């Protein structure tokens, strides 16, 4: 898990290769270890408790540069998940600066903006360095790039429905014990922890999905 704010850039080696394990160790031990690459959530709870499918949740923010770099891996993960496993993205509003990004995410979903806008917004903020910090600036970006009516976008972003959704997300994220992004949560039971690379983050997600499909074994 990659810590946010001032410690985002401390001690990370995102491109470092994972240490090779001897063949006999790989056979004797699971690929990933609870307490190291993943941990049990502080307060277990699914995003969608009514859906019986195994659930993978990416907790992210458009304000997080590591989430921007992870996006291509997140897309790859979605394609590699077994049939019937569901994937959700949940925006974290850890602070006032990240709140507009969570509002924008849900406003775009409500207005059925093209899914391609998700990756495009990461690129606009972190690669192209557009000044997209307020909900008004974000509304202008969606209008310019996807023809979204600004008034409708702002109304959706500031609606009670979106406010309540963000509050519910924040409660769930806190219950999972998450304080950094991107973090992967599987079935509300386990979350990624000490991760060395984005390939490893995807690997942990698939390992935990397989664990849940086998009944938690």
């Amino acid at each position: 898990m990659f810590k946010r704010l001032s410690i985002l850039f401390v001690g990370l080696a995102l491109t470092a290769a994972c240490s090779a394990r001897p063949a006999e160790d790989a056979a004797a031990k699971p690929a990933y270890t609870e307490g190291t690459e993943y941990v049990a959530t502080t307060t277990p709870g699914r995003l969608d408790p009514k859906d019986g499918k195994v659930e993978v949740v990416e907790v992210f923010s458009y304000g997080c540069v590591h989430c921007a770099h992870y996006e291509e891996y997140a897309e790859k993960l979605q394609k590699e998940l077994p049939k019937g496993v569901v994937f959700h993205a949940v925006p974290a509003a850890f602070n006032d600066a990240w709140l507009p990004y969570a509002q924008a995410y849900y406003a775009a979903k409500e207005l059925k903006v093209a899914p391609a806008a998700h990756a495009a917004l990461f690129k606009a903020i972190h690669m192209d360095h557009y000044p997209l910090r307020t909900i008004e600036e974000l509304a202008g970006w969606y209008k310019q790039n996807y023809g979204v009516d600004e008034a409708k976008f702002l109304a959706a972003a500031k609606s009670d429905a979106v406010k309540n959704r963000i509050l519910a997300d924040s409660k769930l994220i806190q219950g999972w014990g998450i304080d950094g992004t991107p973090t992967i949560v599987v079935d509300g039971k386990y979350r990624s922890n000490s991760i060395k690379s984005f390939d490893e983050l995807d690997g942990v997600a698939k390992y935990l999905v397989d664990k849940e499909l086998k009944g938690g074994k």
Side-chain angles (χ1 to χ4, degrees):
M1 177 173 61
F2 306 111
K3 299 295 184 180
R4 60 190 173 92
L5 303 179
S6 61
I7 55 175
L8 274 170
F9 302 100
V10 178
L12 293 177
L14 300 183
T15 58
C18 300
S19 299
R21 295 186 178 96
E24 60 271 18
D25 288 347
K29 298 178 181 179
Y32 302 105
T33 305
E34 184 171 0
T36 304
E37 292 89 2
Y38 71 95
V39 295
T41 54
T42 306
T43 303
R46 288 171 53 91
L47 181 67
D48 185 354
K50 296 180 181 179
D51 189 343
K53 298 177 182 177
V54 172
E55 177 185 86
V56 177
V57 174
E58 178 203 359
V59 180
F60 80 100
S61 173
Y62 291 123
C64 167
V65 65
H66 296 303
C67 297
H69 294 156
Y70 177 63
E71 175 56 25
E72 64 178 290
Y73 294 83
E75 293 175 4
K76 180 173 179 285
L77 173 62
Q78 292 177 62
K79 295 175 183 177
E80 294 176 348
L81 290 174
K83 186 176 181 180
V85 175
V86 293
F87 181 95
H88 302 284
V90 171
F94 286 136
N95 51 62
D96 291 343
W98 282 11
L99 177 59
Y101 299 127
Q103 292 175 304
Y105 176 77
Y106 283 124
K109 285 180 68 71
E110 182 177 327
L111 297 175
K112 300 185 182 342
V113 178
H118 184 63
L121 184 52
F122 275 126
K123 181 178 182 295
I125 295 169
H126 296 287
M127 288 69 167
D128 300 331
H129 304 293
Y130 281 96
L132 299 172
R133 300 180 182 89
T134 69
I135 193 61
E136 289 76 18
E137 289 169 342
L138 288 159
W141 182 85
Y142 278 99
K143 177 183 179 180
Q144 180 178 354
N145 293 277
Y146 294 92
V148 177
D149 182 274
E150 285 186 73
K152 290 181 179 179
F153 186 90
L154 289 171
K158 297 178 180 181
S159 68
D160 286 341
V162 167
K163 177 183 177 181
N164 292 334
R165 180 61 188 269
I166 292 172
L167 287 173
D169 287 347
S170 296
K171 183 178 180 180
L172 196 58
I173 290 168
Q174 183 178 19
W176 286 335
I178 294 173
D179 64 355
T181 52
T183 296
I184 294 291
V185 180
V186 175
D187 262 358
K189 297 179 182 179
Y190 305 103
R191 62 173 173 81
S192 55
N193 187 46
S194 295
I195 300 297
K196 302 180 185 71
S197 70
F198 292 142
D199 281 323
E200 185 173 67
L201 183 53
D202 278 4
V204 168
K206 289 184 282 188
Y207 171 79
L208 291 172
V209 164
D210 185 62
K211 181 181 177 72
E212 284 299 285
L213 289 172
K214 292 178 179 178
K217 298 179 180 180

